[in-house]
Structure formats: structure tokens, C-alpha cells
Amino acid sequence: MQPHNDQRVGLAYGFGAYTMWGLLPLYWHLLDAASPFEILAHRMVWSLPVAVVILAVLRRWSWIGPLLRQPRRLGLVLVCSLVISANWFLYIWSVNAGHVLEASLGYFINPLVSIAFGVLVLRERLRPLQWTAVGVGLLAVVVMTVAYGKVPWIALGLAFSFATYGLVKKGIKLDGIEGFSAETAFQLLPALGILVFLAVHGESRFTTGGVGQALLLAGCGIATAVPLICFGASAVRLPLTTIGMMQYLAPAFQFLLGLTVFHERMPPERWAGFALVWAALTVLTWDALRTARRARTALAEAAARAGAAARRAGAPVAPPRSDGLTR
């Protein structure tokens, strides 16, 4: 069981990460003149210097040696870097192609996928209401598929890629900044190759789009590093089911942006699918609050019983009476 303070820190990191991710479509929209491949490459290239600066400030280098001596963990870091790269590309493309609402659906579905992974892979046990929520989420995907006449592949791709990323990170056991630094180190050379290719062919917005565009592309490092570091710090402190529950914060922001800023259409069948997902998340939230309340009550009762037992054990023994009888 995680210490209470550790869980509180994990929750704070998680809320920060998902709020920042929820607002990212606004940033990617400023870069829509650049191709998704170029934006992705800049995310990779500029993230590593940001990570290195943070490591230098914190003087946290001791993890590198042990990691290099553990091929299995290095392999998991490589898997993380590949999966999150695919997730980044699909998200950037979907935002700049006018699919913010479907992208938000993917991150609404993501908590349900994370919970399913927790059961299937980590053997975490679900309560009946959690099973109900997962079932309603599956129904939502079916409704969307039937209504649109096609599988919502953007949403499913984002949901499964990010849930896989969270699952693999559980096995690496690196804190937020260390894990992020290791992943971006794997990404650096391929990203540099993409940028050189674009520059040679005259397709680089970094070199032809002016100072403002260049600064925005360079800022991808900060926009990427800060929430991902927070997520990594949260993932190693919280159960996967808790991470899954928190993840609907980001798509809530994305959904509102899709409606109010990007003015995307919401036909009835899309509302129906979203309504089912929201119903599933409502069930999850209510179940989590009820379970947390019961756990706090049980903990308080156990503490009270332990205190009473300790007082009884430490009470002074009454001296015998002078007439030989006990008191």
C-alpha cells in the first residue's frame, strides 16, 4: 500500500499533467502551418535539452549507470519512446486535421482501457461498478462505430497507445524526469534525421516560417516535457486504476475546445457515444468516492481500536489490597 503522502503527491502531479494536456490543442493549432512530422520531431529534439537542464539543477544523474547495466529496463524505455512517439504523432495530426472532438473521445476512453490493462496484465481486481463502467465504455465504441459506419480509429489509437505507455512505465520504475530523459534520448537521433531531411528539401517551417514560428517549434520541448514529467511522477506513485480515473480531465478540456474554439460538428450519434462514455466515467467516479470514503472510515476505526488496545496494555496494574483480596 502506498504511503498517504506519496499518494497525495501523485495526485497533485496527475492533476497538473492532465490539465496541461487538455490545453495543448491551442498550442498545436498555432503550429498548423508545419507538418505533423516536423512538429513531432521538434517535440523530440527540444524535449531532451529541457530534461537535461532539469537533471542538472536537481543533480540527479545517479540513475543513468544502473539503467545502462539493465538491458531489460532499457528495452522497456525503448518501447515507451516508440509508443509515446506514435501517440504524439496521431494527436498532433488529429488536432490540426480538425478532429479535436474525436481525439478527446480517445482520451475519454483511455481510463477504461487503462483499467482493463490493470485487470488483464497486472491482475488488479475490479469492483462490480468498475466492471459496469468498462462495459458501458465498450457499448459507446459500438454505438460510434455503427453510427459513423466505421471504427473510430483515431480515438482507439490514442486510447490504446497512451494506456500502453502508462502500463510499460510501471515496469521501468523511474521517476518522472528520469524516465522522460531516457525516452527522449532514444528519440533524439531519429528526430534530428527528420529535421535534416525537411531542411534539405526546403520543407522546414523552422527555417522558413520566421522567428515566431521557430520559437513556437522550439517551445515544443517545454510544452512536452512539463506535463509528461508530471505524468511519470504520478504513474510511479499511484495504482493504474487511479491513473485511469484521473485521465478524463484532459479530454474534458479538449472537448470544450473542440466545441467552443474549433467549432467542430456534434451530430446526434456523436452525442450518443459521448453520453455513454460520460455515463461510464460517472459510475467510475462515484464508485471511487464511495470506496475512498469507506477506506477512510475503516482506517479511522482501526486506528481507534489500536489506540484503545495500546491504552489498555499500558494501564498501571492496581496493587493488591492489604487484606489479601484483589481489588
Side-chain angles (χ1 to χ4, degrees):
M1 183 175 178
Q2 292 277 43
H4 183 63
N5 286 342
D6 210 29
Q7 287 192 342
R8 291 179 62 183
V9 171
L11 287 171
Y13 277 124
F15 279 116
Y18 292 118
T19 300
M20 288 183 279
W21 273 325
L23 299 177
L24 267 183
L26 296 174
Y27 195 89
W28 303 142
H29 190 64
L30 296 175
L31 296 169
D32 60 357
S35 71
F37 278 110
E38 182 174 9
I39 299 172
L40 174 66
H42 279 287
R43 286 191 79 172
M44 296 173 174
V45 167
W46 295 105
S47 292
L48 186 58
V50 173
V52 169
V53 169
I54 296 173
L55 287 174
V57 170
L58 299 177
R59 297 181 180 180
R60 291 167 67 170
W61 307 105
S62 59
W63 57 275
I64 297 177
L67 178 63
L68 293 176
R69 292 190 292 270
Q70 295 177 290
R72 180 182 176 278
R73 291 178 75 201
L74 276 176
L76 291 177
V77 172
L78 176 60
V79 171
C80 271
S81 67
L82 293 173
V83 172
I84 199 61
S85 297
N87 179 272
W88 288 354
F89 176 80
L90 182 56
Y91 184 57
I92 293 167
W93 176 86
S94 63
V95 168
N96 288 347
H99 299 292
V100 175
L101 287 175
E102 188 170 346
S104 74
L105 176 64
Y107 288 111
F108 275 125
I109 295 172
N110 180 233
L112 304 174
V113 177
S114 293
I115 290 173
F117 279 7
V119 173
L120 297 174
V121 181
L122 300 182
R123 304 299 180 187
E124 296 178 359
R125 298 182 63 183
L126 293 189
R127 296 177 293 275
L129 284 178
Q130 289 177 310
W131 280 114
T132 301
V134 173
V136 174
L138 290 174
L139 178 61
V141 174
V142 172
V143 168
M144 288 281 197
T145 301
V146 173
Y148 278 100
K150 64 176 183 178
V151 175
W153 64 271
I154 295 174
L156 293 177
L158 290 170
F160 275 88
S161 60
F162 200 72
T164 301
Y165 176 71
L167 176 65
V168 176
K169 283 191 77 72
K170 297 287 286 187
I172 299 174
K173 292 182 172 56
L174 284 176
D175 207 345
I177 181 59
E178 288 92 340
F180 178 71
S181 302
E183 292 157 22
T184 52
F186 275 109
Q187 294 171 335
L188 180 62
L189 288 180
L192 285 174
I194 293 173
L195 294 181
V196 169
F197 177 86
L198 292 174
V200 168
H201 288 80
E203 299 176 7
S204 171
R205 292 294 299 173
F206 186 79
T207 56
T208 63
V211 175
Q213 191 77 179
L215 290 175
L216 284 172
L217 286 168
C220 288
I222 295 175
T224 298
V226 175
L228 202 59
I229 289 170
C230 289
F231 171 76
S234 177
V236 298
R237 289 176 169 86
L238 298 175
L240 199 60
T241 48
T242 304
I243 292 290
M245 245 186 356
M246 294 175 61
Q247 289 176 4
Y248 60 81
L249 289 173
F253 283 111
Q254 295 164 12
F255 178 81
L256 292 174
L257 290 176
L259 282 181
T260 62
V261 177
F262 301 112
H263 305 292
E264 294 185 16
R265 290 179 61 251
M266 274 290 287
E269 61 269 21
R270 181 172 282 185
W271 278 113
F274 272 92
L276 285 171
V277 173
W278 294 334
L281 295 175
T282 301
V283 171
L284 276 181
T285 303
W286 185 81
D287 178 68
L289 292 174
R290 185 186 65 166
T291 303
R293 184 170 58 250
R294 288 179 175 176
R296 286 195 299 269
T297 301
L299 185 62
E301 292 175 351
R305 288 195 298 269
R311 286 192 295 272
R312 288 195 299 270
V317 179
R321 293 170 56 124
S322 58
D323 57 7
L325 300 175
T326 60
R327 294 180 185 269

